[in-house]
Amino acid sequence: MRLSNLEKGKRAIIKGIEKGCSAEKHQRFLDLGFVPGAEIHVHSISPLRDPIAYSIYNTIISLRREDADSVLITIDN
Amino acid sequence: MSKSACEICDLNGATTLKKLGEVSSKYDYAIALAGNPNTGKSTIFNALTGLKQHTGNWPGKTVTRAEGSFQYKDNKYKLIDLPGTYSLMSTSEDEEVARDYILFGKPDVTVVVVDAGRLERHLSLVVQIQEITNKVVVCLNLMDEASRHGVEIDVRGLSRDLGVPVIPTSARRKEGIGELLLAIDEVATGKYVPEQKTISGISGESRRAVSELSQELLAIDAELPSVSWISMRLIQRDESIEDALISGILSDKITKEEIAPILVKAAKYHDKLGLDYADNVAGAIFGQVTKTVKSTVKVDAGQRAFRIDRTIDKLVTSRTFGFPIMLLLLGGVLWLTIIGSNYPSSALSNLLLDQLYPFLKEGAIQLKFPWWLSGFLIDGVYLATAWVIAVMLPPMAIFFPLFTLLEDFGYLPRVAFNLDRLFKGAGAHGKQALTMSMGFGCNAAGVVATRIINSPREKLIAIITNNFSLCNGRWPTQILMASIFVGVLVPNQLAGTISTLAVVGIVLLGISFTFFTSWLLSKTLLKGESSFFTLELPPYRPPRVLQTIYTSIIDRTLIVLWRAIVFAAPAGAVIWLISNVLIGDKSIALWMIDALDPIGILIGLNGVILVAYIVAIPANEIVIPTVLMLTAMVLGDASLGEGAGVMFEVSDGEIATILYQAGWTTLTGINLMLFSLLHNPCSTTIYTIYKETNSAKWTTIASLLPVVFGVIVCFLVTRLWYMFT
């Protein structure tokens, strides 16, 4: 599943960054804590539905939909 | 100010602190200040050096390194505030500045400021820095906020785990600064030697690669510092580290020939391990940090987790209320600025123009100045400068603090969050929403603010389009024209509303031009992919009102005002000269007006307006007084105005009479409003654009593009006008 499909109110665990991503973008994701095993949930959605702000490691980071597409997740029960 | 007993007590380490402000040339130790954005790093910097660096609740505030100094006990320290970064592994400009200083500058101590309430994220930077140097002190800042959020930290345990001093502070309340100084002192002087640490938990082949390269590096220089970190960077193909090894910056023992095979090997590992390596390292760092945090931090889950932030964000980013709240807040700031500056503006203009000006003129007569000298200096240079100060200072002194309060509270990043979708559509960056809003106060300040946009392409778009935000200097022209030429078209009781709407219309037109031009640029001159957009929404923090007012007046208002004065003084001289130097039987000004009149008429303006915009390029504030002075000259009515080259302003009613007498129509008024929106930036802004872009080409484009738009729009409006009237 992709981060862009994560619904509000659900918690997810990051599985990894999609392989097709550029090396630079991949590293930026890692710097921001988008590492395998990290917990993530939707904090808020912008009035125009994009971008979406995610809470990860107690920090709120917003991503555009096409960028959130590159983050692979699983739903955490 | 009297000091409390605690402040003068010997046990308080801060008593032996002597803040030295700007950096002095001699120092005993160099201290680097590192940390994530939004950790209060600048507050620590200010507390130690006594400087007043602006502390913005906003990543990318400290773009270049700021330096200051202080004395503690017998030693002088230089303090270097590095840009706020999440990590040191990427190739962004901020991270390179921070990393290069820690690696090549070899500071005696690196203080890493971390947010006590967000330890997991922030400790990952600490771990990375420890990989480069062992001389680290962790400043556990924002302790007050963390305890409010129900976070309890075992500071000793944390210090043991990390192997470095950990000092809890609440910098805003000046708590813990004494202890921080002591720790810095002990590490700098070598009384305390922090542990050498290295990232644990890198698995399998990645780890083998790092240790193999490390051993080979140590074989050619046994004393090479930060060796495992250098190996890690080589596997990531970090060019600046490769260059530093080849050129001998990192070690003079290593020769080109010796290093070459190691670089080849590192490159092979890079190709083989690929992005898994990056994942592996980042995973190991966060894994290690998570373990540390689990054993040293207790969180009261009920209290914590951004409850307040979530509630506020729910409201300010909601589909229903997000935009209305935004318009209300930003519109409110503008409204307060416009209304609020009336009184101080007229007080200043009374002082500088009505009192001081005649006094100076009188003085010049007493001192037997020739007429041209008194005219040049007092009517020219003084009057223009005084005018700019009187009209420019009050709105800026109101707008900047209000805007900075919104910024410090944490609201402005939410504006970028709300509007990013629109800017994305135009090929621009969401943070341009902020620089655009800042432009309504002052375009020069708006251009400086584009530093928060990291992508060069999107930063240029923001710089070039900033001029479409109607700045404070242009509001008075708009309001005057709207009330004289638009308000009169409707019945009296509606006049106020209609002229206000006309001004709002101009503002909205400016915003449409911002989007249109951004789109146009991203499709033509600045083609390219949208960069990776990440925006941190920082925690809301109560702004410190008095300090904000102080720093925003010093930082933003006075700097911009000073630049404006530097440009206004010579412009005053020019305005006076062209009005008083005759060629043949006419002044230069009249020649210019006659020459430009046909072009002016063609685009629904006139020669006077064009000349005024040419000579008043330093500040939009002096356009109207210059127009009036030139109009009086053209009319040749001695009863009007104060004489050739002397700017003046009278009541709105009298202005209307003069302008109608000179043949102005509603069309002239409307076109002046349009041209005031769409013309070149003032010289202060042009200069700022040049400083920010360092490019004559982009400065020229940013200066000329709006004029081109202005001429086209005014021409079209004029054609349409004559078609229907």
PDB file of all heavy atoms in Angstrom, chain B residues 22 44 51 137 143 151 176 179 183 197 230 233 241 256 265 270 393 401 409 427 445 462 511 563 646 655 662 667 669:
ATOM      1  N   GLU B  22      29.056  40.777  18.397  1.00  0.00           N
ATOM      2  CA  GLU B  22      29.732  40.430  17.143  1.00  0.00           C
ATOM      3  C   GLU B  22      31.063  39.751  17.441  1.00  0.00           C
ATOM      4  O   GLU B  22      31.684  39.995  18.455  1.00  0.00           O
ATOM      5  CB  GLU B  22      30.013  41.702  16.318  1.00  0.00           C
ATOM      6  CG  GLU B  22      28.783  42.495  15.925  1.00  0.00           C
ATOM      7  CD  GLU B  22      28.042  41.876  14.765  1.00  0.00           C
ATOM      8  OE1 GLU B  22      28.634  41.022  14.076  1.00  0.00           O
ATOM      9  OE2 GLU B  22      26.874  42.239  14.552  1.00  0.00           O
ATOM     10  N   ILE B  44      19.312  30.101  21.838  1.00  0.00           N
ATOM     11  CA  ILE B  44      20.536  29.763  22.572  1.00  0.00           C
ATOM     12  C   ILE B  44      21.671  30.678  22.108  1.00  0.00           C
ATOM     13  O   ILE B  44      22.407  31.234  22.922  1.00  0.00           O
ATOM     14  CB  ILE B  44      20.931  28.286  22.295  1.00  0.00           C
ATOM     15  CG1 ILE B  44      19.839  27.327  22.764  1.00  0.00           C
ATOM     16  CG2 ILE B  44      22.292  27.962  22.899  1.00  0.00           C
ATOM     17  CD1 ILE B  44      19.974  26.825  24.160  1.00  0.00           C
ATOM     18  N   LEU B  51      23.595  38.831  20.988  1.00  0.00           N
ATOM     19  CA  LEU B  51      23.110  39.353  19.715  1.00  0.00           C
ATOM     20  C   LEU B  51      21.615  39.099  19.613  1.00  0.00           C
ATOM     21  O   LEU B  51      21.054  38.320  20.368  1.00  0.00           O
ATOM     22  CB  LEU B  51      23.832  38.683  18.544  1.00  0.00           C
ATOM     23  CG  LEU B  51      25.311  39.027  18.379  1.00  0.00           C
ATOM     24  CD1 LEU B  51      25.924  38.192  17.283  1.00  0.00           C
ATOM     25  CD2 LEU B  51      25.477  40.508  18.062  1.00  0.00           C
ATOM     26  N   VAL B 137      28.399  18.391  22.867  1.00  0.00           N
ATOM     27  CA  VAL B 137      27.566  18.632  24.039  1.00  0.00           C
ATOM     28  C   VAL B 137      26.128  18.682  23.538  1.00  0.00           C
ATOM     29  O   VAL B 137      25.844  19.359  22.559  1.00  0.00           O
ATOM     30  CB  VAL B 137      27.928  19.979  24.726  1.00  0.00           C
ATOM     31  CG1 VAL B 137      26.892  20.339  25.771  1.00  0.00           C
ATOM     32  CG2 VAL B 137      29.312  19.912  25.342  1.00  0.00           C
ATOM     33  N   MET B 143      12.731  22.207  27.436  1.00  0.00           N
ATOM     34  CA  MET B 143      12.349  21.327  28.534  1.00  0.00           C
ATOM     35  C   MET B 143      10.988  21.706  29.098  1.00  0.00           C
ATOM     36  O   MET B 143      10.198  20.845  29.470  1.00  0.00           O
ATOM     37  CB  MET B 143      13.402  21.395  29.651  1.00  0.00           C
ATOM     38  CG  MET B 143      14.651  20.603  29.381  1.00  0.00           C
ATOM     39  SD  MET B 143      14.332  18.841  29.164  1.00  0.00           S
ATOM     40  CE  MET B 143      14.186  18.305  30.859  1.00  0.00           C
ATOM     41  N   VAL B 151       6.269  14.797  28.961  1.00  0.00           N
ATOM     42  CA  VAL B 151       7.452  14.012  28.619  1.00  0.00           C
ATOM     43  C   VAL B 151       8.442  14.090  29.779  1.00  0.00           C
ATOM     44  O   VAL B 151       8.772  15.175  30.247  1.00  0.00           O
ATOM     45  CB  VAL B 151       8.127  14.554  27.337  1.00  0.00           C
ATOM     46  CG1 VAL B 151       9.379  13.757  27.012  1.00  0.00           C
ATOM     47  CG2 VAL B 151       7.158  14.525  26.184  1.00  0.00           C
ATOM     48  N   GLY B 176      19.149  27.016  32.517  1.00  0.00           N
ATOM     49  CA  GLY B 176      20.129  26.013  32.108  1.00  0.00           C
ATOM     50  C   GLY B 176      21.313  26.560  31.329  1.00  0.00           C
ATOM     51  O   GLY B 176      22.217  25.814  30.969  1.00  0.00           O
ATOM     52  N   GLU B 179      24.705  26.031  33.195  1.00  0.00           N
ATOM     53  CA  GLU B 179      25.175  24.645  33.130  1.00  0.00           C
ATOM     54  C   GLU B 179      25.709  24.326  31.735  1.00  0.00           C
ATOM     55  O   GLU B 179      26.702  23.624  31.579  1.00  0.00           O
ATOM     56  CB  GLU B 179      24.033  23.679  33.461  1.00  0.00           C
ATOM     57  CG  GLU B 179      23.585  23.708  34.916  1.00  0.00           C
ATOM     58  CD  GLU B 179      22.657  24.868  35.247  1.00  0.00           C
ATOM     59  OE1 GLU B 179      22.440  25.751  34.375  1.00  0.00           O
ATOM     60  OE2 GLU B 179      22.155  24.912  36.376  1.00  0.00           O
ATOM     61  N   ALA B 183      29.507  23.014  30.728  1.00  0.00           N
ATOM     62  CA  ALA B 183      29.776  21.814  29.930  1.00  0.00           C
ATOM     63  C   ALA B 183      30.625  22.155  28.703  1.00  0.00           C
ATOM     64  O   ALA B 183      31.575  21.432  28.377  1.00  0.00           O
ATOM     65  CB  ALA B 183      28.471  21.169  29.503  1.00  0.00           C
ATOM     66  N   LYS B 197      31.988   7.657  19.641  1.00  0.00           N
ATOM     67  CA  LYS B 197      30.894   6.723  19.376  1.00  0.00           C
ATOM     68  C   LYS B 197      30.778   6.453  17.881  1.00  0.00           C
ATOM     69  O   LYS B 197      31.168   7.275  17.063  1.00  0.00           O
ATOM     70  CB  LYS B 197      29.574   7.330  19.852  1.00  0.00           C
ATOM     71  CG  LYS B 197      29.399   7.273  21.348  1.00  0.00           C
ATOM     72  CD  LYS B 197      28.690   5.991  21.725  1.00  0.00           C
ATOM     73  CE  LYS B 197      28.347   5.991  23.208  1.00  0.00           C
ATOM     74  NZ  LYS B 197      27.582   4.802  23.585  1.00  0.00           N
ATOM     75  N   ILE B 230      33.816   9.139   7.170  1.00  0.00           N
ATOM     76  CA  ILE B 230      34.356   9.409   5.835  1.00  0.00           C
ATOM     77  C   ILE B 230      34.118   8.206   4.919  1.00  0.00           C
ATOM     78  O   ILE B 230      33.681   8.357   3.775  1.00  0.00           O
ATOM     79  CB  ILE B 230      35.868   9.745   5.918  1.00  0.00           C
ATOM     80  CG1 ILE B 230      36.046  11.105   6.588  1.00  0.00           C
ATOM     81  CG2 ILE B 230      36.512   9.753   4.525  1.00  0.00           C
ATOM     82  CD1 ILE B 230      37.480  11.469   6.888  1.00  0.00           C
ATOM     83  N   ARG B 233      30.571   8.189   3.805  1.00  0.00           N
ATOM     84  CA  ARG B 233      30.300   9.202   2.772  1.00  0.00           C
ATOM     85  C   ARG B 233      30.883   8.784   1.421  1.00  0.00           C
ATOM     86  O   ARG B 233      30.336   9.104   0.373  1.00  0.00           O
ATOM     87  CB  ARG B 233      30.852  10.575   3.171  1.00  0.00           C
ATOM     88  CG  ARG B 233      30.232  11.220   4.384  1.00  0.00           C
ATOM     89  CD  ARG B 233      28.730  11.220   4.337  1.00  0.00           C
ATOM     90  NE  ARG B 233      28.191  11.933   3.191  1.00  0.00           N
ATOM     91  CZ  ARG B 233      26.974  11.754   2.697  1.00  0.00           C
ATOM     92  NH1 ARG B 233      26.166  10.874   3.245  1.00  0.00           N
ATOM     93  NH2 ARG B 233      26.558  12.440   1.663  1.00  0.00           N
ATOM     94  N   ILE B 241      33.651  15.195  -0.173  1.00  0.00           N
ATOM     95  CA  ILE B 241      34.568  14.420   0.669  1.00  0.00           C
ATOM     96  C   ILE B 241      35.668  13.803  -0.202  1.00  0.00           C
ATOM     97  O   ILE B 241      36.854  13.820   0.158  1.00  0.00           O
ATOM     98  CB  ILE B 241      33.808  13.299   1.422  1.00  0.00           C
ATOM     99  CG1 ILE B 241      32.683  13.896   2.267  1.00  0.00           C
ATOM    100  CG2 ILE B 241      34.759  12.473   2.276  1.00  0.00           C
ATOM    101  CD1 ILE B 241      33.130  14.745   3.415  1.00  0.00           C
ATOM    102  N   LYS B 256      47.453  11.544  -3.643  1.00  0.00           N
ATOM    103  CA  LYS B 256      46.479  11.224  -4.677  1.00  0.00           C
ATOM    104  C   LYS B 256      46.562   9.751  -5.086  1.00  0.00           C
ATOM    105  O   LYS B 256      45.560   9.082  -5.267  1.00  0.00           O
ATOM    106  CB  LYS B 256      46.756  12.080  -5.911  1.00  0.00           C
ATOM    107  CG  LYS B 256      45.753  13.187  -6.128  1.00  0.00           C
ATOM    108  CD  LYS B 256      46.061  13.903  -7.424  1.00  0.00           C
ATOM    109  CE  LYS B 256      46.049  15.398  -7.198  1.00  0.00           C
ATOM    110  NZ  LYS B 256      46.441  16.179  -8.356  1.00  0.00           N
ATOM    111  N   LYS B 265      37.248   1.533  -5.017  1.00  0.00           N
ATOM    112  CA  LYS B 265      36.575   0.490  -4.247  1.00  0.00           C
ATOM    113  C   LYS B 265      35.233   1.006  -3.686  1.00  0.00           C
ATOM    114  O   LYS B 265      34.209   0.318  -3.754  1.00  0.00           O
ATOM    115  CB  LYS B 265      37.487   0.038  -3.103  1.00  0.00           C
ATOM    116  CG  LYS B 265      36.951  -1.185  -2.373  1.00  0.00           C
ATOM    117  CD  LYS B 265      37.950  -1.711  -1.374  1.00  0.00           C
ATOM    118  CE  LYS B 265      38.728  -2.877  -1.918  1.00  0.00           C
ATOM    119  NZ  LYS B 265      39.750  -3.377  -0.985  1.00  0.00           N
ATOM    120  N   HIS B 270      29.314   1.340  -3.899  1.00  0.00           N
ATOM    121  CA  HIS B 270      28.145   2.193  -4.152  1.00  0.00           C
ATOM    122  C   HIS B 270      27.237   1.535  -5.188  1.00  0.00           C
ATOM    123  O   HIS B 270      26.018   1.451  -5.008  1.00  0.00           O
ATOM    124  CB  HIS B 270      28.599   3.563  -4.645  1.00  0.00           C
ATOM    125  CG  HIS B 270      27.474   4.462  -5.079  1.00  0.00           C
ATOM    126  ND1 HIS B 270      26.744   5.206  -4.191  1.00  0.00           N
ATOM    127  CD2 HIS B 270      26.938   4.699  -6.297  1.00  0.00           C
ATOM    128  CE1 HIS B 270      25.813   5.868  -4.837  1.00  0.00           C
ATOM    129  NE2 HIS B 270      25.908   5.580  -6.127  1.00  0.00           N
ATOM    130  N   LEU B 393       8.179  54.465   7.080  1.00  0.00           N
ATOM    131  CA  LEU B 393       8.489  53.892   8.395  1.00  0.00           C
ATOM    132  C   LEU B 393       7.263  53.350   9.136  1.00  0.00           C
ATOM    133  O   LEU B 393       7.268  52.199   9.556  1.00  0.00           O
ATOM    134  CB  LEU B 393       9.256  54.923   9.237  1.00  0.00           C
ATOM    135  CG  LEU B 393       9.689  54.468  10.630  1.00  0.00           C
ATOM    136  CD1 LEU B 393      10.581  53.240  10.546  1.00  0.00           C
ATOM    137  CD2 LEU B 393      10.427  55.591  11.353  1.00  0.00           C
ATOM    138  N   PRO B 401       6.266  43.568  12.482  1.00  0.00           N
ATOM    139  CA  PRO B 401       6.039  42.857  13.749  1.00  0.00           C
ATOM    140  C   PRO B 401       4.800  41.957  13.713  1.00  0.00           C
ATOM    141  O   PRO B 401       4.851  40.833  14.195  1.00  0.00           O
ATOM    142  CB  PRO B 401       5.865  43.988  14.760  1.00  0.00           C
ATOM    143  CG  PRO B 401       6.600  45.129  14.177  1.00  0.00           C
ATOM    144  CD  PRO B 401       6.423  45.016  12.699  1.00  0.00           C
ATOM    145  N   PHE B 409       4.382  32.314  15.921  1.00  0.00           N
ATOM    146  CA  PHE B 409       3.334  31.470  16.478  1.00  0.00           C
ATOM    147  C   PHE B 409       3.292  30.126  15.754  1.00  0.00           C
ATOM    148  O   PHE B 409       2.951  29.097  16.321  1.00  0.00           O
ATOM    149  CB  PHE B 409       1.994  32.213  16.358  1.00  0.00           C
ATOM    150  CG  PHE B 409       0.809  31.388  16.760  1.00  0.00           C
ATOM    151  CD1 PHE B 409       0.740  30.795  18.011  1.00  0.00           C
ATOM    152  CD2 PHE B 409      -0.256  31.197  15.889  1.00  0.00           C
ATOM    153  CE1 PHE B 409      -0.358  30.032  18.380  1.00  0.00           C
ATOM    154  CE2 PHE B 409      -1.353  30.438  16.250  1.00  0.00           C
ATOM    155  CZ  PHE B 409      -1.395  29.850  17.493  1.00  0.00           C
ATOM    156  N   GLY B 427       3.321  25.565 -11.168  1.00  0.00           N
ATOM    157  CA  GLY B 427       4.717  25.137 -11.246  1.00  0.00           C
ATOM    158  C   GLY B 427       5.600  25.749 -10.175  1.00  0.00           C
ATOM    159  O   GLY B 427       6.816  25.787 -10.310  1.00  0.00           O
ATOM    160  N   ALA B 445      11.661  42.958   1.203  1.00  0.00           N
ATOM    161  CA  ALA B 445      11.618  41.957   2.274  1.00  0.00           C
ATOM    162  C   ALA B 445      11.068  40.638   1.749  1.00  0.00           C
ATOM    163  O   ALA B 445      11.517  39.564   2.150  1.00  0.00           O
ATOM    164  CB  ALA B 445      10.771  42.458   3.434  1.00  0.00           C
ATOM    165  N   ALA B 462       9.591  32.748  -7.380  1.00  0.00           N
ATOM    166  CA  ALA B 462       9.073  33.554  -6.276  1.00  0.00           C
ATOM    167  C   ALA B 462       9.668  34.962  -6.292  1.00  0.00           C
ATOM    168  O   ALA B 462       8.974  35.940  -6.010  1.00  0.00           O
ATOM    169  CB  ALA B 462       9.367  32.874  -4.947  1.00  0.00           C
ATOM    170  N   ILE B 511      -2.495  39.235  -7.541  1.00  0.00           N
ATOM    171  CA  ILE B 511      -2.348  37.817  -7.190  1.00  0.00           C
ATOM    172  C   ILE B 511      -2.521  36.957  -8.445  1.00  0.00           C
ATOM    173  O   ILE B 511      -1.765  36.002  -8.657  1.00  0.00           O
ATOM    174  CB  ILE B 511      -3.352  37.430  -6.079  1.00  0.00           C
ATOM    175  CG1 ILE B 511      -2.997  38.180  -4.792  1.00  0.00           C
ATOM    176  CG2 ILE B 511      -3.340  35.917  -5.834  1.00  0.00           C
ATOM    177  CD1 ILE B 511      -3.957  37.986  -3.655  1.00  0.00           C
ATOM    178  N   ARG B 563      18.108  51.142   3.344  1.00  0.00           N
ATOM    179  CA  ARG B 563      18.351  50.987   1.914  1.00  0.00           C
ATOM    180  C   ARG B 563      17.534  51.992   1.121  1.00  0.00           C
ATOM    181  O   ARG B 563      18.018  52.568   0.150  1.00  0.00           O
ATOM    182  CB  ARG B 563      17.970  49.582   1.463  1.00  0.00           C
ATOM    183  CG  ARG B 563      19.043  48.580   1.771  1.00  0.00           C
ATOM    184  CD  ARG B 563      18.782  47.294   1.018  1.00  0.00           C
ATOM    185  NE  ARG B 563      19.720  46.268   1.439  1.00  0.00           N
ATOM    186  CZ  ARG B 563      19.640  44.994   1.082  1.00  0.00           C
ATOM    187  NH1 ARG B 563      18.656  44.600   0.310  1.00  0.00           N
ATOM    188  NH2 ARG B 563      20.522  44.132   1.490  1.00  0.00           N
ATOM    189  N   VAL B 646      10.102  71.167  -5.937  1.00  0.00           N
ATOM    190  CA  VAL B 646       9.746  70.993  -4.538  1.00  0.00           C
ATOM    191  C   VAL B 646       8.492  70.122  -4.450  1.00  0.00           C
ATOM    192  O   VAL B 646       7.412  70.541  -4.864  1.00  0.00           O
ATOM    193  CB  VAL B 646       9.483  72.353  -3.853  1.00  0.00           C
ATOM    194  CG1 VAL B 646       9.303  72.152  -2.355  1.00  0.00           C
ATOM    195  CG2 VAL B 646      10.625  73.306  -4.133  1.00  0.00           C
ATOM    196  N   ILE B 655      -6.007  67.849  -4.486  1.00  0.00           N
ATOM    197  CA  ILE B 655      -5.317  67.021  -5.479  1.00  0.00           C
ATOM    198  C   ILE B 655      -6.245  66.762  -6.663  1.00  0.00           C
ATOM    199  O   ILE B 655      -5.855  66.904  -7.830  1.00  0.00           O
ATOM    200  CB  ILE B 655      -4.861  65.675  -4.859  1.00  0.00           C
ATOM    201  CG1 ILE B 655      -3.781  65.919  -3.797  1.00  0.00           C
ATOM    202  CG2 ILE B 655      -4.315  64.743  -5.946  1.00  0.00           C
ATOM    203  CD1 ILE B 655      -3.322  64.669  -3.079  1.00  0.00           C
ATOM    204  N   ALA B 662      -5.534  69.398 -14.964  1.00  0.00           N
ATOM    205  CA  ALA B 662      -4.492  68.979 -15.906  1.00  0.00           C
ATOM    206  C   ALA B 662      -5.021  67.989 -16.933  1.00  0.00           C
ATOM    207  O   ALA B 662      -4.248  67.413 -17.686  1.00  0.00           O
ATOM    208  CB  ALA B 662      -3.324  68.365 -15.138  1.00  0.00           C
ATOM    209  N   LEU B 667     -10.224  57.319 -16.786  1.00  0.00           N
ATOM    210  CA  LEU B 667      -9.299  56.393 -17.444  1.00  0.00           C
ATOM    211  C   LEU B 667      -7.875  56.579 -16.909  1.00  0.00           C
ATOM    212  O   LEU B 667      -7.179  55.606 -16.616  1.00  0.00           O
ATOM    213  CB  LEU B 667      -9.326  56.603 -18.960  1.00  0.00           C
ATOM    214  CG  LEU B 667      -8.316  55.756 -19.747  1.00  0.00           C
ATOM    215  CD1 LEU B 667      -8.679  54.284 -19.683  1.00  0.00           C
ATOM    216  CD2 LEU B 667      -8.216  56.227 -21.190  1.00  0.00           C
ATOM    217  N   GLY B 669      -6.979  57.751 -14.031  1.00  0.00           N
ATOM    218  CA  GLY B 669      -6.931  57.251 -12.653  1.00  0.00           C
ATOM    219  C   GLY B 669      -6.821  55.737 -12.617  1.00  0.00           C
ATOM    220  O   GLY B 669      -5.989  55.167 -11.909  1.00  0.00           O
TER     221      GLY B 669
END
